[in-house]
Amino acid sequence: MSVATSVCAPLPVLGGDVIVPLADGREVPYAALDYAASAPALQRVWDDVAAYAPYYGSVHRGAGYLSQLSTELFEKARRTVAGFLGCREDDQVVFTRSTTDSLNLLAAALPEGCQVFVFETEHHAALLPWRHARVSCLPAPRGPREAVALLERALADRDPHGPALVCVTGASNVTGELWPVAELAAAAHAHGARIVLDAAQLAPHHPVSVRDLDVDWVAFSGHKLYAPFGSGVLAGRADWLRDAEPYLAGGGASRSVVRRPDGGVEVAWHEGAARHEAGSPNVIGAHAIASACQALTEAGFENLVARERHLIDRVRAGLADVPGVRFLSLFGADAPRVGVLSFVVDGWDSADFATALSTGYGIGVRAGLFCAHPLVRTLLGGDPAAEGDCETPGDLNAVRVSFGAGTPDEHVDRFVRAVRELVATPCGQRTADGRRVPATAG
Ligand code: PLP
């Protein structure tokens, strides 16, 4: 294969030496190629968490030394994330559980009468939280320019006096394609709307700057950013968050609570990030995210992007001449993208194909509609409005391979070899429970 190899080494991640069984009794090192679902922890993150663990203590609620230390670590993590995201001076960083949680938090903080604009191509985490607002769902654009034009048109028709929010992904979890975030932000602002960036798939692969992109909020998940310890982030403008009811009611969010003479309870809520962080904060999760932010920054996104480009090219070049393998794309084969590629294989059910990659080669990928039902249906030529089950095998399913900073060349090379072999032996054989596996498997 003639692909340039002058790229940086993969970052050390956990799980690289895990051995898994194959259907024929052999054992091989696991090839994690499902980064878009959850990426392995960076070794650096694991080490930082382990180094802190003995000092673990409560956050914002203890006088003891370890509580003080843990509180400082938690707040330091907030500052690190703000720096990583290029936040503005008065932006707020709220620790959540995930991107889903972050976007639901923002949805709960929408001002009265807010109209929300989303493309049907979004992950369900970005498509669904707005169900209590007026939602305009825009059709799938066939290119970045069309995306901006569609949004411009929709915003031009809206009530210019009411509040409005645009929610858009930075990189698709199905095609990996990059969305024109800065242009969409400019369009939103030109029409008096705000914009939240779903960076779940972008932040692990590309630098994200709230300031440079001029987005109002950004959301991402620790577990996709090599920090799988249960935390996520919502960062951005403080005003809507300050004016909203707390996302969760409880300790930590409340500044003062008194019993009223009439038997009721009166609460004064915090105004800063704590307003939406009720309960005991996940200091290990926040620390892990901050550690990942530092590790990626130190590795240099220009190096990580170049390495990922190299891996994408390796997959593309390795499968270019294989008949019957069709990659899914909204913006075209050459559109800039991150290391997330979905495809279908003639003659194969996608779920069977993913299983065959696992049982025959020790490769972990995902098959399904990837919680982006309308988009996958559109890409597969189906009806985006059709009903169906998320992971039910069937014609309208695809296979997704995804990788990132910790992926060695060997994993994508094994994937390419596996696809070539499986396509060459489409009959395979069926196991007792009806699954299709490579013909070589016992
Ligand atoms: N947005 C995108 C683009 C995603 O790919 C995902 C998860 O796959 C999410 C949001 C939701 O992330 P989480 O499951 O961590 O809440």
Side-chain angles (χ1 to χ4, degrees), residues 5 13 19-21 43 95 112 135 141 146 151 168 192 213-214 222 230 240 267 274 359 366 385 396 418 420:
T5 52
V13 291
I19 302 297
V20 295
Q43 183 68 50
F95 283 112
E112 193 66 31
V135 179
E146 192 185 330
L151 182 65
V168 70
L213 293 169
D214 196 18
W240 286 10
V267 189
T359 56
R366 180 173 172 191
L396 288 182
R420 295 184 74 95

Side-chain angles (χ1 to χ4, degrees), residues 27 63 124 201 242 265 282 297 369 371 396 408 439:
E27 294 187 327
H124 296 170
Q201 299 295 347
R242 186 189 51 229
V265 175
N282 177 358
T297 303
L369 297 174
C371 296
L396 288 182

Side-chain angles (χ1 to χ4, degrees), residues 36-37 98-101 123 125-126 169 171-173 198 200-201 221 223-224:
S98 61
T99 309
T100 304
D101 202 31
H123 186 282
T169 191
S172 166
N173 70 307
D198 170 0
Q201 299 295 347
S221 302
H223 71 104
K224 296 186 198 291

Side-chain angles (χ1 to χ4, degrees), residues 30-35 354 357-358 361-366 400-402:
Y30 187 62
L33 290 178
D34 198 9
Y35 275 47
L357 288 171
S358 172
Y361 301 90
I363 294 170
V365 297
R366 180 173 172 191
R400 182 180 71 188
V401 59
S402 54

Side-chain angles (χ1 to χ4, degrees), residues 89-433:
E89 198 69 10
D90 48 359
D91 279 341
Q92 218 162 62
V93 173
V94 182
F95 283 112
T96 63
R97 289 176 299 177
S98 61
T99 309
T100 304
D101 202 31
S102 298
L103 295 175
N104 274 272
L105 159 56
L106 188 61
L110 295 181
E112 193 66 31
C114 190
Q115 196 175 350
V116 177
F117 296 83
V118 278
F119 289 93
E120 68 171 23
T121 49
E122 295 296 336
H123 186 282
H124 296 170
L127 195 56
L128 303 182
W130 326 106
R131 59 198 187 283
H132 300 302
R134 266 186 309 146
V135 179
S136 296
C137 187
L138 311 182
R142 283 296 172 169
R145 273 215 204 138
E146 192 185 330
V148 178
L150 280 169
L151 182 65
E152 294 260 11
R153 214 169 306 140
L155 288 170
D157 286 346
R158 83 178 184 94
D159 163 14
H161 301 298
L165 177 74
V166 176
C167 178
V168 70
T169 191
S172 166
N173 70 307
V174 176
T175 65
E177 289 162 332
L178 299 177
W179 278 63
V181 178
E183 290 82 354
L184 292 167
H189 292 149
H191 289 86
R194 292 193 173 188
I195 184 165
V196 56
L197 169 63
D198 170 0
Q201 299 295 347
L202 186 65
H205 304 274
H206 268 258
V208 172
S209 169
V210 168
R211 208 186 289 255
D212 293 350
L213 293 169
D214 196 18
V215 292
D216 296 284
W217 292 276
V218 58
F220 72 86
S221 302
H223 71 104
K224 296 186 198 291
L225 193 96
Y226 314 103
F229 291 88
S231 274
V233 166
L234 177 69
R237 306 269 180 213
D239 52 357
W240 286 10
L241 299 176
R242 186 189 51 229
D243 296 343
E245 285 291 302
Y247 184 43
L248 294 173
S254 48
R255 200 158 31 83
S256 127
V257 180
V258 289
R259 182 177 165 278
R260 282 199 310 251
D262 66 1
V265 175
E266 196 159 304
V267 189
W269 302 107
H270 281 297
E271 293 203 337
R275 186 181 188 85
H276 298 294
E277 290 176 346
S280 298
N282 177 358
V283 55
I284 289 198
H287 180 47
I289 285 185
S291 166
C293 291
Q294 276 169 335
L296 295 177
T297 303
E298 284 165 23
F301 269 107
E302 65 283 9
N303 297 323
L304 299 176
V305 168
R307 171 156 184 79
E308 206 167 296
R309 181 75 256 163
H310 155 85
L311 294 174
I312 295 170
D313 289 348
R314 246 176 140 82
V315 172
R316 283 292 186 70
L319 297 179
D321 62 340
V322 180
V325 175
R326 179 166 67 88
F327 285 97
L328 306 187
S329 167
L330 201 55
F331 295 168
D334 297 329
R337 68 189 66 238
V338 299
V340 177
L341 301 163
S342 296
F343 60 97
V344 286
V345 182
D346 284 354
W348 280 87
D349 174 86
S350 293
D352 285 346
F353 199 85
T355 302
L357 288 171
S358 172
T359 56
Y361 301 90
I363 294 170
V365 297
R366 180 173 172 191
L369 297 174
F370 317 123
C371 296
H373 293 186
L375 171 59
V376 177
R377 290 205 185 96
T378 296
L379 291 171
L380 292 177
D383 175 3
E387 287 183 15
D389 223 342
C390 190
E391 311 304 343
T392 306
D395 288 348
L396 288 182
N397 261 359
V399 186
R400 182 180 71 188
V401 59
S402 54
F403 38 83
T407 306
D409 288 8
E410 190 276 324
H411 286 185
V412 299
D413 291 348
R414 196 190 322 168
F415 167 77
V416 165
R417 178 172 57 82
V419 173
R420 295 184 74 95
E421 286 180 9
L422 289 171
V423 168
T425 57
C427 299
Q429 62 184 47
R430 288 206 176 266
T431 58
D433 60 0

